[in-house]
Amino acid sequence: MVDPAPLASGRDADVFALDDRRVLRRYREGGDVTAEAAVMAYVASHGFPVPRVYQARGADLVMERLDGPTMLSALLAGELHARQAASCLADLHHRLHALPPRLSECEDVRILHLDLHPENVMLTSRGPVVIDWRNATEGPADLDVALSAVILAQVAVEQAHPLASPAAMLLDAFIDCVGGNLLTVLDQAVAMRRNDPALTPNERERLDAAAVLITGQIEGRRRAAHAQSAGRRPGR
């Protein structure tokens, strides 16, 4: 029997406890979880950490009940430092993008989560586990990384947000750890985020500032690296 009180709630879905080992995630506006479950099964078959899926039908997804906090909860509790979280996020991106695509035959196409941030990583007894695969698709790996950066930057640029400072530190460390060519797809990532129907008007208004913050951090690193390289040249 489903517990009538949600165990957790997100922007568009509620999670209910079924028993000690299973949960039911139900989308409030309906939908079809078949494609999401297929991606989860595929990445799991390649060793990527996701919850086990027991059943997928309509708007309902029955999955493994995970232990441990979200990465965000661990950060807020002081159990995890920004650098550790950034390294973990970067590693999850690298591991996911190392997998062969499920559908495409193009060599430069990867599986993308497109919502990989601290609230969608559970720190379990078996390690970090990535949840919420509804947005998953295939495309260039840098787009996935850029979208994660945009999500962090949206919080960082909202001065009144209680998590603005931690988000800024996490973003800075994430960009440092993850590498890639984010600026080549940043506009695309911002456009995708802007078209997300779950965003509030205030969140959309912060997207331009988020892009400026990311661009400034990356270009600042490039200038610093160039200056350091110039300083090492013979005769300097």
Side-chain angles (χ1 to χ4, degrees):
M1 181 179 294
V2 178
D3 189 327
L7 187 66
S9 293
R11 290 179 185 255
D12 53 10
D14 299 305
V15 178
F16 302 90
L18 294 179
D19 50 42
D20 290 341
R21 66 185 185 89
R22 299 177 304 152
V23 295
L24 165 67
R25 193 184 69 195
R26 174 171 290 159
Y27 288 111
R28 290 188 288 273
E29 302 298 325
D32 185 359
V33 299
T34 304
E36 181 178 359
V39 173
M40 293 175 68
Y42 178 78
V43 299
S45 72
H46 285 77
F48 192 82
V50 296
R52 180 177 178 182
V53 175
Y54 296 106
Q55 186 180 75
R57 180 182 301 166
D60 291 354
L61 195 59
V62 178
M63 301 179 292
E64 171 190 4
R65 184 172 182 173
L66 301 172
D67 59 2
T70 65
M71 179 182 286
L72 178 61
S73 296
L75 278 165
L76 295 178
E79 299 168 355
L80 196 67
H81 298 298
R83 187 76 186 185
Q84 293 172 307
S87 178
C88 180
L89 280 177
D91 180 64
L92 288 168
H93 272 287
H94 294 154
R95 290 170 63 186
L96 178 61
H97 302 151
L99 304 183
R102 184 172 71 96
L103 303 174
S104 176
E105 296 181 357
C106 298
E107 292 184 2
D108 58 347
V109 167
R110 301 287 94 185
I111 296 172
L112 313 182
H113 183 276
L114 295 184
D115 202 19
L116 187 44
H117 56 78
E119 285 186 280
N120 282 339
V121 179
M122 300 287 293
L123 303 180
T124 76
S125 55
R126 61 181 171 98
V129 176
V130 179
I131 62 174
D132 196 353
W133 289 78
R134 191 177 200 185
N135 295 338
T137 186
E138 296 185 3
D142 284 331
L143 180 60
D144 208 7
V145 175
L147 200 53
S148 290
V150 168
I151 292 169
L152 295 175
Q154 279 183 280
V155 179
V157 298
E158 185 184 359
Q159 294 183 355
H161 199 294
L163 300 179
S165 180
M169 289 189 291
L170 179 54
L171 174 65
D172 183 66
F174 176 67
I175 290 174
D176 194 42
C177 290
V178 78
N181 297 299
L182 277 65
L183 294 186
T184 62
V185 291
L186 183 57
D187 288 346
Q188 184 181 353
V190 169
M192 290 179 65
R193 186 70 172 161
R194 199 183 302 277
N195 290 330
D196 187 339
L199 257 61
T200 66
N202 286 337
E203 287 174 321
R204 287 191 178 88
E205 289 176 3
R206 295 197 299 274
L207 280 169
D208 290 340
V212 169
L213 176 60
I214 294 168
T215 301
Q217 289 194 355
I218 293 175
E219 290 184 343
R221 279 176 168 78
R222 288 178 177 174
R223 288 193 297 269
H226 178 74
Q228 185 178 30
S229 177
R232 289 177 177 172
R233 290 174 188 167
R236 293 285 182 126

